[in-house]
Amino acid sequence: MNFPPDSDAGARAFIERIDALSTHHDPVHEGVRVHWRRFGNTETDITYPPLVLLHGGHGSWMHWIRNVEALSAEHTLWLPDMPGFLDSDKPLPMADGQAPIDPLLTALGGTLDMLIGADTPVDLGGFSFGGLVASTFATRRPVRRLALVGSGGHASLRRLTLDMINWRRPVDREAERVALKHNLDALMLHDKAYDPLAFEIHDVSCHGTRFRSKDVSMAGGLQAAIDTLTCPLLLMWGEYDVTADPRPLVARLTAGHPNRGGAVVNGAGHWTQYERADEVNRQLLRFFD
């Protein structure tokens, strides 16, 4: 099927086709089940470590749907619905002395260890809230390379000009769709034309979200996490990302760190790897080589 699908039915068929390329896994750690999808064949395991990609807030594995085919041709991909999102259980309640992100990381890491082994190095990528999760995750297990796309947790200037709408408040489905489309345009995309696939992913993922990620991302922590890392790091934002001012942010986070590279992707909003999939795929394949 050629991209982009031009109808809601086409969008659902596209998602089903990509999903059919995966195997599904449901390991349970300390009572929390995390749903993982594995893409790629066993031959890719020989050349590279597993590549784990983490989605953003109000998201799911589908945040990476336009990247799966290109990346899985050379890498074994592991894509979770993180705890509290879509097909995974909610993380355990936060215990005394824990950060809000800790129970999520415990379930995520525990189930990944069950799938690939606790001492297996990984390549790691994260989008938006998943970027903050990935950078923190990288401080707790062996990571060969880390790529962050539109990462949250940078605690710097946001450029959001439109207020978000509470999409759970409308009393009918049409009003709910209008609210969801407004939020998709306000936060995620630079191109505001109706995109059936982007809307379907956003709609399904929002309805599957039970973890409040915004407060965690807004609290910061990205700088502190990456400053402890020695692995090669790629920091990427879209030119029009409203969650950051990309060029000065990339310059600040990479200055004086020869192991860090930065990129601003022209023409993209926050959901950079979706809107400019070919360019992001090219950069990620080069970085994870």
Side-chain angles (χ1 to χ4, degrees), residues 56-280:
H58 284 84
S60 68
W61 72 275
M62 292 182 286
H63 272 167
W64 297 97
I65 201 163
R66 294 201 63 201
N67 317 104
V68 162
E69 289 182 285
L71 298 182
S72 66
E74 298 188 16
H75 299 262
T76 299
L77 304 185
W78 287 96
L79 274 62
D81 292 325
M82 290 194 291
F85 297 88
L86 200 56
D87 290 331
S88 293
D89 293 345
K90 290 178 63 175
L92 294 173
M94 183 174 57
D96 290 343
Q98 282 190 316
I101 203 173
D102 285 341
L104 183 152
L105 282 167
T106 297
L108 192 70
T111 54
L112 181 62
D113 289 349
M114 296 168 69
L115 293 169
I116 68 170
D119 297 325
T120 301
V122 298
D123 285 335
L124 186 59
F127 164 60
S128 194
F129 168 65
L132 177 59
V133 177
S135 64
T136 309
F137 198 32
T139 69
R140 305 185 182 193
R141 68 165 298 126
V143 171
R144 185 185 72 118
R145 289 177 173 265
L146 173 64
L148 306 179
V149 183
S151 183
H154 52 79
S156 69
L157 178 68
R158 287 166 59 93
R159 304 186 295 176
L160 190 63
T161 59
L162 296 175
D163 291 334
M164 305 293 281
I165 296 176
N166 185 350
W167 60 270
R168 298 183 187 274
R169 186 173 297 168
V171 296
D172 61 73
R173 175 59 176 160
E174 185 54 37
E176 181 185 85
R177 284 177 61 91
V178 169
L180 285 165
K181 175 64 167 61
H182 170 89
N183 292 348
L184 181 66
D185 290 346
L187 181 66
M188 298 288 280
L189 300 175
H190 175 60
D191 184 352
K192 312 302 184 190
Y194 180 66
D195 178 338
L197 180 59
F199 182 83
E200 181 72 14
I201 292 169
H202 187 62
D203 185 16
V204 171
S205 299
C206 283
H207 280 90
T209 296
R210 289 98 62 212
F211 184 91
R212 185 169 177 82
S213 62
K214 181 179 178 181
D215 292 345
V216 179
S217 290
M218 295 295 289
L222 176 65
Q223 179 91 58
I226 65 176
D227 281 350
T228 70
L229 304 177
T230 58
C231 65
L233 174 61
L234 175 63
L235 296 151
M236 186 184 306
W237 274 269
E239 177 185 11
Y240 299 106
D241 192 334
V242 299
T243 72
D245 191 357
R247 297 189 192 281
L249 180 58
V250 167
R252 175 172 64 82
L253 292 177
T254 58
H257 296 277
N259 65 321
R260 299 180 191 177
V264 176
V265 180
N266 293 332
H270 181 51
W271 197 357
T272 308
Q273 78 273 22
Y274 181 90
E275 283 198 289
R276 293 294 180 268
D278 289 345
E279 172 63 15
V280 172

